[in-house]
Amino acid sequence: MTEESVPEIQKWQRLKSTTVFEHPRMTLVEDDMKLPNGKVIKYLRQEYKGNGGVIIICIKDDKILLQQEYSYPVNEVLYQFPGGRIEDGETYEEAAMRELAEESNLTIKNPVYLGWFYPDNRRTNAKLHVVLSDDVVVDDSKTADDEEFIISAWLPLNEFKTKLKDGELTNYSVLAAWALYSSTY
């Protein structure tokens, strides 16, 4: 597709918003939206309040830190990179250090920012930021989150790439974070 052949896409116009469900972890909003063709529709989205999340890629001695955690909505144990929410007042580097310590008793120094992506651009404006570190040390002073039952393991990079190729890595955050890493390194 050439630049000349790309039609201009018109943005939608929000006419009204109504909160339909509120919970400490989620707020659902229904918007009345006017489409470019003039039609008015209802659109359900998750209102995001916060600073986004962070995903941490740790590589050391030709190994990558990969975790396994049960995911209730899909009823599967999925592979993931460490990560979580950026709390109020935290930078993505501080969040990465805190989340990694909470999930794996590891800490990182000198995180390198790789970029960000939308985890679900159809339903929320939340962003996930990706950082990389190859300076990882054990930190036994941190305690795990009560809701997280996570197994962390260092996997040789060639095994990680085989899992990727064989379709064993299905978590969007792993795939998107690895795409950012791969485009840089």
Side-chain angles (χ1 to χ4, degrees), residues 65-83:
L65 184 67
L66 197 60
Q67 299 179 324
Q68 287 184 294
E69 182 177 30
Y70 173 71
S71 178
Y72 170 69
V74 296
N75 196 31
E76 289 184 39
V77 175
L78 299 177
Y79 289 103
Q80 65 188 25
F81 290 134

Side-chain angles (χ1 to χ4, degrees), residues 81-93:
F81 290 134
R85 182 181 175 96
I86 301 172
E87 300 294 343
D88 287 339
E90 276 186 322
T91 66
Y92 59 82
E93 297 101 333

